[in-house]
Structure formats: structure tokens, C-alpha cells
């Protein structure tokens, strides 16, 4: 199986590569459209700021390519947020795969949300053998609103969509590569989709 | 609900965990990679690796070690010690660190916090503060706590937040090493005046101290070293104790 991690200069991808390596898969980094299109599974990572990440995607024309992909794509953290319609972070337009807006947490709670929180209302094979209310590791200041495309929810200030799915596109707000056994199970499930 | 975090801290010198070397009579606290792996398996929520190497060679060893920890450990970890530039942070994050912790370098040049937060995002910038209560005021210290500054803990922490710190790691020098509990009053003040997570550090001696750090000190996470390294407190028991005291933890 060929797993490609989309490389557009955003953040730390080493941990994702290592997580797949622990599962016995090699995940290669690439920004080459042909290599990305030929992959069996695609990871769309992201750490950092949304509007500058969108700029990097446009510069490499990956913003056009990504929504046309037909194989399973997993957006992680900012990667998931960039697959949404818009984000309040830097007032950026997203790739529009998910029909949902990304908002900032209210300052009634500490921002960023940092640490382990539970996922509930699990609705996809992505969560096979993962218990409801499993803890996942999250670090974020912005969240996708609860919507029809939510396949998991988390409660922090509000109940929001901590995972999304539309057709072959999946997104998780948490970091499966850093979420201990439950996270590893999720990555394993993704390889089996 | 967001869980409170338990964070073992590994002090590393030239590739070995060294905290408490004398305490166990020259037997060092172990290989950091296997220790990190062990803590992750035992339920630690996060790890802090603090590089106390004074030499360039020691720092290079650290980068190799960070890579090995990232390869083998499936929970997040922060690396601190001697970080003073964008290049330092870039190298650590590329080696697989999730966050970095800066201390003296931020006090020397506070703009560093802005630069790092802008470049890497505030979620991966922890500002560590060592402070000591002197005549009622909490005075920030640098160089491993050896040199006092003119900064007040609370105003410096607030400034760090405004400049883009994602988290504050507060070590009370009055409590550190005493095993008499965390500095809960100062912690609580920090936690209620700032809107970013606060990690309590310094003073852990028993499980009740952790309960107090969360209930009284309102901390978001608690860090300790020797009580974990020398098996005085087992992380699983600690988390059960916290849960029994109605503190949300990942069990």
C-alpha cells in the first residue's frame, strides 16, 4: 500500500510517518501531483496558521488538486480545518470539501484547548474498535461546528465536530499519531478503508 | 471533558536521564528513550525532556534522542533547554518534538516568543518560568534559578501570553525539591488571570499534592520528576486517586 503525506511545508509530519512505521507502513512525503494521485491513501496534515497554510497550498496548486482526489484522504488538525468551507483564522477560504465553518473558541475556556478530551457519537468505520468516549490528544484554538458531516463530537465550551466525513474525505481535529493506542487504532482503520 | 494532564519530566545530560543521580547512589535514572516509552505505556499524558547538556556535542546528542523518542513514543512531548532561535525550534520540531519550552532566552529577548509563535503557531510554544517568593513577591529567576531578575511572575506570565505563548510551565523554586506540595496559591492566581493552560511544577511529594494542584491551584497539568523516576508514585495509582477526587483524567 502506498501512503502519501501531502507536503506543503506545514508543520511537523515526522510523528505521522513514525506512527505509520509503528503500524508497519511506510508513509512518504510528496508535493508531486502525480505521486499524490497514484497513492492508495493520503494524509493531509497541518500545523500552524490557516491563511498562510492556504497560501502555501495555492502556491503549489495543491488547493485545486486536493478536492478532486478520489481515494481515502485523512485531514489531521489544521488539515481537517482547511478542508472546510471557511475558517475564522485569518478569515481564510478553505477547500470547501466539508460544508462547515471553522470558528474560534470563546475565551470562557482556555485557548488553545490543549490535552486529552473524549470523542463521542462515533459514526464511521474510521472508529472501528475504538470505544465511545475514548480520549484523543487535541491542540487547537479553532473548531468545526457540529454539522451533518460530523462523525465524532467533542465537548469543549460547545459540542463541536471533532471528526468529519464526506465521501472519501475524512478529517480529524485530534492528532491520532499522538493519541496512544486509540490513535494508532484509528490510523490502522484508515489504512483498511 | 478535557482531562487534567500528568507530565513526567526527564532531565537529560549528554543523552542520559540524570535527575537524582546522587539519590540512588550513582545509578542514573536511565536511558531517556526507554524511560519515555515506559511512561507512555503507564499512562503519562505528555512528557517533558529537558536538555541540561552544557556542550554543543551534548545538544547534538539531544537531537538524535528526540528523533528516537518520536519514533517510539505515541504521546506528545515537549523539549526544553538552551533554545534561543527559530533554527533551534525548527530542528527540534523536524526531529519530531511536538512543543518546545523556552525560559531564559525569552526573558533576555521577549520578542523571541512572538517570532516563534508566528512561525510555528502558539500551540507549540511553552514559556517556562522559574520563580521564587521573596518578601511576598514572586520574582522570576534565570539560568536554572540561579540569577534573580526584576520581573514579577504574574506580569511576566501575562506578557508571555500576550506575545503568543500557548502554555506556561511554572516552577516554584520555594517548593521545588521539598516534596511538600505545589505552590497552589500562586498557581491559582496564574490560572485565573491567564487564559492559556498552566502546568504546575515543583514540590510533588505524594498523590494528595497533585489533587491540591488541580483543586486548589486550578492547574491544567502537573509535572514531576523524581517521584516518578524512583517509583514513589505510580502514574496509574495517581490517576485513580485523582479520579476518586472527581478530577477528570484519562485512565
Amino acid at each position: 500500500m502506498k501512503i502519501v503525506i501531502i507536503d506543503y511545508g506545514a508543520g511537523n509530519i515526522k510523528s505521522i510517518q513514525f506512527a505509520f512505521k509503528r503500524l508497519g507502513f511506510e508513509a512518504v512525503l510528496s508535493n508531486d501531483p502525480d505521486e499524490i494521485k497514484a497513492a492508495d491513501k493520503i494524509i493531509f496534515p497541518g500545523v500552524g496558521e490557516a491563511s498562510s497554510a492556504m497560501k502555501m497550498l495555492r502556491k503549489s496548486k495543491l488547493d485545486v488538486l486536493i478536492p478532486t482526489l478520489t481515494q481515502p484522504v485523512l485531514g489531521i488538525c489544521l488539515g481537517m480545518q482547511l478542508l472546510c468551507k471557511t475558517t475564522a483564522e485569518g478569515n481564510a477560504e478553505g477547500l470547501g470539501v466539508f460544508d462547515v465553518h471553522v470558528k474560534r473558541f470563546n475565551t470562557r475556556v482556555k485557548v488553545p484547548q490543549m490535552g486529552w478530551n473524549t470523542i463521542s457519537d462515533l459514526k464511521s468505520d474510521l472508529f472501528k474498535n475504538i470505544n465511545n468516549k475514548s480520549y484523543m490528544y487535541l491542540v487547537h484554538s479553532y473548531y468545526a461546528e457540529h454539522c451533518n458531516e460530523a462523525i465524532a463530537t467533542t465537548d469543549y465550551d460547545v459540542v463541536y465536530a471533532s471528526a468529519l466525513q464526506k465521501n472519501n474525505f475524512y478529517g480529524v481535529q485530534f492528532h491520532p499519531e499522538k493519541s496512544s493506542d486509540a490513535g494508532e487504532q484509528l490510523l490502522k482503520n484508515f489504512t483498511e478503508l | 471533558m478535557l482531562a487534567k494532564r500528568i507530565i513526567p519530566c526527564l532531565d537529560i545530560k549528554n543523552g542520559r536521564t540524570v535527575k537524582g543521580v546522587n539519590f540512588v547512589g550513582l545509578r542514573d535514572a536511565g536511558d531517556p528513550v526507554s524511560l519515555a516509552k515506559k511512561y507512555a505505556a503507564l499512562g503519562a499524558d505528555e512528557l517533558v525532556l529537558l536538555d541540561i547538556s552544557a556542550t554543543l556535542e551534548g545538544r547534538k546528542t539531544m537531537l538524535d534522542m528526540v528523533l528516537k523518542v518520536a519514533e517510539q513514543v505515541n504521546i506528545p512531548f515537549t523539549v526544553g533547554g538552551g533554545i534561543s532561535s527559530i533554527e533551534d525550534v525548527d530542528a527540534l520540531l523536524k526531529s519530531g518534538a511536538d512543543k518546545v519550552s523556552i525560559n531564559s532566552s525569552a526573558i533576555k529577548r521577549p520578542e523571541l516568543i512572538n517570532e516563534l509563535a508566528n512561525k510555528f503557531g502558539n500551540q507549540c510554544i511553552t514559556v517556562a518560568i522559574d520563580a521564587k517568593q521573596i518578601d511576598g513577591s514572586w520574582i522570576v529567576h534565570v539560568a536554572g534559578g540561579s540569577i534573580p531578575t526584576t520581573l514579577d511572575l504574574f506580569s511576566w506570565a501575562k506578557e508571555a501570553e500576550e506575545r503568543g505563548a500557548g502554555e506556561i510551565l511554572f516552577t516554584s523554586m520555594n517548593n521545588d525539591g521539598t516534596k511538600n506540595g505545589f505552590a497552589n496559591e500562586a498557581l491559582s492566581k496564574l490560572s485565573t488571570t491567564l487564559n492559556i493552560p498552566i502546568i504546575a511544577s515543583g514540590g510533588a511529594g505524594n498523590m494528595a499534592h497533585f489533587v491540591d494542584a488541580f483543586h486548589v491551584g486550578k492547574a491544567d497539568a502537573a509535572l514531576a520528576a523524581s517521584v516518578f523516576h524512583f517509583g514513589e508514585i505510580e502514574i496509574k495509582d495517581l490517576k485513580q486517586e485523582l479520579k476518586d477526587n472527581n478530577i477528570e483524567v484519562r485512565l
Side-chain angles (χ1 to χ4, degrees), chain A residues 84-99:
Chain A
C84 298
K85 209 170 186 172
T86 61
T87 166
E89 189 177 21
N91 284 317
E93 288 276 321
L95 299 175
V97 169
F98 300 124
D99 188 21

Side-chain angles (χ1 to χ4, degrees), chain B residues 64-232:
Chain B
D64 291 341
M65 208 198 63
V66 167
L67 198 65
K68 283 195 194 110
V69 172
E71 195 171 5
Q72 298 187 36
V73 173
N74 58 11
I75 60 167
F77 65 98
T78 304
V79 179
I83 298 165
S84 60
S85 69
I86 283 186
E87 293 71 34
D88 291 343
V89 176
D90 193 49
L92 286 166
L93 297 183
K94 278 192 178 135
S95 299
D98 298 283
K99 301 187 250 182
V100 295
S101 159
I102 53 172
N103 189 335
S104 301
S105 59
I107 291 166
K108 210 168 168 184
R109 207 172 64 79
E111 298 75 29
L112 180 66
I113 304 171
N114 306 66
E115 291 165 15
L116 295 179
N118 288 338
K119 172 90 180 158
F120 304 104
N122 59 2
Q123 78 289 336
C124 67
I125 310 301
T126 301
V127 172
I129 305 176
D130 299 330
K132 189 177 188 176
Q133 196 175 27
I134 302 168
D135 300 329
S137 306
W138 282 93
I139 307 296
V140 177
H141 284 59
V142 288
S146 58
I147 305 168
T149 68
T150 55
L151 294 170
D152 164 74
L153 164 66
F154 303 102
S155 46
W156 170 235
K158 189 77 198 159
E159 182 179 342
E161 176 184 30
E162 283 160 3
R163 287 182 180 276
E167 195 167 46
I168 300 288
L169 166 55
F170 161 52
T171 303
S172 161
M173 295 166 56
N174 302 74
N175 301 61
D176 200 25
T178 64
K179 301 207 170 192
N180 285 330
F182 295 93
N184 295 316
E185 205 181 313
L187 271 172
S188 163
K189 192 174 166 188
L190 271 180
S191 194
T192 44
T193 51
L194 271 65
N195 200 46
I196 53 177
I198 308 295
I199 307 172
S201 160
N206 60 42
M207 295 201 275
H209 293 153
F210 288 87
V211 173
D212 290 344
F214 294 123
H215 274 321
V216 186
K218 301 185 177 72
D220 299 283
L223 175 145
S226 55
V227 290
F228 298 135
H229 297 338
F230 303 117
E232 292 161 42

Side-chain angles (χ1 to χ4, degrees), chain A residues 21-22 110 116 135 178, chain B residues 3 45 71 98 191 220 248:
Chain A
K21 197 174 160 192
R22 288 194 291 270
K110 290 196 175 184
W116 300 78
Y135 280 96
K178 286 289 169 180
Chain B
D45 296 303
E71 195 171 5
D98 298 283
S191 194
D220 299 283
E248 180 85 9

Side-chain angles (χ1 to χ4, degrees), chain A:
Chain A
M1 170 159 30
K2 178 103 178 169
I3 303 171
V4 166
I5 303 172
I6 298 179
D7 180 15
Y8 61 107
N12 165 17
I13 38 71
K14 208 88 199 171
S15 300
I16 301 173
Q17 279 184 304
F18 283 144
F20 278 112
K21 197 174 160 192
R22 288 194 291 270
L23 291 168
F25 297 100
E26 191 199 357
V28 298
L29 263 178
S30 177
N31 59 5
D32 171 36
D34 292 330
E35 191 174 16
I36 293 170
K37 277 191 263 185
D40 298 303
K41 298 284 179 331
I42 294 165
I43 300 289
F44 180 36
V47 173
E49 198 272 331
S51 60
S52 47
M54 279 305 296
K55 268 181 213 148
M56 288 189 278
L57 286 173
R58 281 190 208 105
K59 205 172 147 191
S60 51
K61 299 201 166 59
L62 289 166
D63 63 322
V64 181
L65 174 74
I66 292 171
T68 66
L69 295 169
T70 53
Q71 59 278 71
V73 176
L74 178 64
I76 297 177
C77 196
L78 182 66
M80 180 197 94
Q81 296 185 358
L82 295 178
L83 289 170
C84 298
K85 209 170 186 172
T86 61
T87 166
E89 189 177 21
N91 284 317
E93 288 276 321
L95 299 175
V97 169
F98 300 124
D99 188 21
V100 56
H101 299 283
V102 175
K103 297 171 75 173
R104 193 170 206 276
F105 282 122
N106 191 292
T107 49
R108 280 185 303 244
V109 290
K110 290 196 175 184
V111 183
Q113 168 171 228
M114 188 167 317
W116 300 78
N117 203 336
T118 51
I119 53 169
S120 302
D121 310 314
L122 310 181
K123 272 184 210 149
S124 158
D125 282 348
L126 194 60
F127 298 108
K128 199 174 66 183
N129 298 324
I130 295 175
N131 293 331
N132 189 44
K133 295 202 180 282
S134 289
Y135 280 96
M136 295 288 183
Y137 186 77
L138 299 135
V139 187
H140 62 126
S141 304
Y142 296 80
Y143 67 93
E145 291 180 282
H146 194 2
C147 61
N148 290 335
E149 290 160 351
I151 51 168
T153 61
T154 293
D155 188 351
Y156 191 67
D157 186 35
V158 293
V159 174
Y160 66 93
S162 48
L164 295 162
Q165 184 197 348
K166 187 185 180 185
N167 305 325
N168 58 313
F169 288 92
Y170 298 78
V172 290
Q173 181 60 63
F174 45 87
H175 286 274
E177 75 280 14
K178 286 289 169 180
S179 293
S180 194
D181 300 345
E184 287 188 346
Q185 180 66 46
L186 185 138
L187 292 177
K188 185 169 176 282
N189 293 342
F190 180 67
T191 65
E192 290 166 2
L193 287 174

Side-chain angles (χ1 to χ4, degrees), chain B residues 25-44:
Chain B
L26 294 182
R27 183 165 61 92
D28 75 6
D31 164 42
V33 181
S34 40
L35 206 52
K37 237 176 125 171
K38 186 182 106 179
Y39 285 136
L42 290 174

